[in-house]
Amino acid sequence: MNDMQFSELRKAMVDSQIRPNKVIDDDVIAAFATVPRELFVSRQMQNLAYIDEDIALSGGRFIIEAMVMARMIQALSLDKADNVMSIGAGTGYGAAILSSLVASVIAIETRAQMVEKAQQIVAGLDIGNVAVVKWRVQDGYPSGAPYRAIIIEGGVEHVPAALFDQLSGGGRLVSVLRPQGREVGEATLWQKRGGQITPTSLFTAQVPVLDEFKVKPKFT
């Protein structure tokens, strides 16, 4: 496929997957209409880059389907002055989307090969406000805290307290909460107010759970 064909697929993704599914933030829509999703997948997968599904990368990482990611990002109510952390960043697609919406993005990923690829793609797109860092995703990245918003790019069985600690007052964290044994998860927004964390269910979403956010079995 050539750039023109990918551009047409990107427009179709926005018009058929994102706009009809309660995404009304013009800046979020513009970000999805601009970032070339095909660059963030393997060459063999490029023809499928715009399908309405999660796209598997490797090592348990994936790019969340566009509609789910767009609604999650919209729920964060981002401002141009915000600093944001993207957790489980994979090859950096989510971070690239966020880059046009906020002041700065810290994208953390455990897998060295993915970190390197994400760094290359972000540099190739001349995105100057994203830093891709190799780090344990379940720990967040305290050096860059506090964050106005955090997105976990995948499903979670639980959210570690350390991540909530890295939110600023009034800050928000979004992910897909999928407790152990549940087939379908709930995209959930947690907001920090006065040191308290309040969760709000947004919509159902069938997103795979990231290994690092699975509840470890307890010994009896």
Side-chain angles (χ1 to χ4, degrees):
M1 283 195 184
N2 58 37
D3 289 347
M4 181 72 75
Q5 289 170 310
F6 282 127
S7 180
E8 289 170 359
L9 287 174
R10 192 153 54 250
K11 183 178 185 304
M13 176 189 74
V14 169
D15 290 343
S16 65
Q17 298 174 33
I18 293 177
R19 287 185 188 275
N21 283 290
K22 302 182 179 178
V23 180
I24 58 173
D25 186 311
D26 288 337
D27 291 335
V28 172
I29 291 169
F32 278 87
T34 305
V35 176
R37 192 175 170 99
E38 68 275 9
L39 297 184
F40 297 85
V41 301
S42 65
R43 190 175 296 277
Q44 298 92 323
M45 291 290 290
Q46 285 188 332
N47 290 354
L48 301 174
Y50 293 95
I51 62 170
D52 192 11
E53 298 285 347
D54 303 312
I55 300 175
L57 298 171
S58 63
R61 292 293 189 261
F62 46 87
I63 297 176
I64 297 175
E65 67 174 283
M67 178 274 287
V68 173
M69 185 179 281
R71 291 186 68 181
M72 287 168 65
I73 291 173
Q74 178 175 262
L76 289 171
S77 301
L78 296 170
D79 185 271
K80 291 286 188 185
D82 289 343
N83 63 319
V84 177
M85 177 166 57
S86 167
I87 294 176
T91 52
Y93 179 70
I97 292 288
L98 290 164
S99 69
S100 66
L101 304 173
V102 298
S104 63
V105 183
I106 296 287
I108 62 170
E109 177 52 66
T110 307
R111 292 151 176 76
Q113 192 173 359
M114 284 201 172
V115 170
E116 188 176 334
K117 181 168 184 179
Q119 289 170 339
Q120 289 172 352
I121 298 171
V122 165
L125 291 172
D126 199 24
I127 298 172
N129 64 339
V130 170
V132 186
V133 181
K134 184 181 183 301
W135 206 259
R136 276 167 48 98
V137 293
Q138 61 269 44
D139 294 342
Y141 193 67
S143 299
Y147 302 97
R148 187 65 179 172
I150 297 173
I151 181 169
I152 303 175
E153 295 194 41
V156 299
E157 292 182 354
H158 74 114
V159 178
L163 300 185
F164 293 129
D165 291 343
Q166 291 169 48
L167 284 174
S168 60
R172 299 172 169 216
L173 183 151
V174 70
S175 184
V176 175
L177 181 61
R178 190 172 164 187
Q180 205 167 21
R182 295 247 185 111
E183 288 298 316
V184 179
E186 284 277 337
T188 303
L189 183 74
W190 290 266
Q191 185 154 12
K192 187 174 187 176
R193 293 192 186 95
Q196 299 296 311
I197 304 296
T198 306
T200 302
S201 292
L202 302 172
F203 57 94
T204 59
Q206 196 159 354
V207 172
V209 174
L210 299 174
D211 288 341
E212 294 90 343
F213 294 94
K214 291 179 178 176
V215 176
K216 290 181 172 58
K218 293 179 181 177
F219 292 102
T220 55

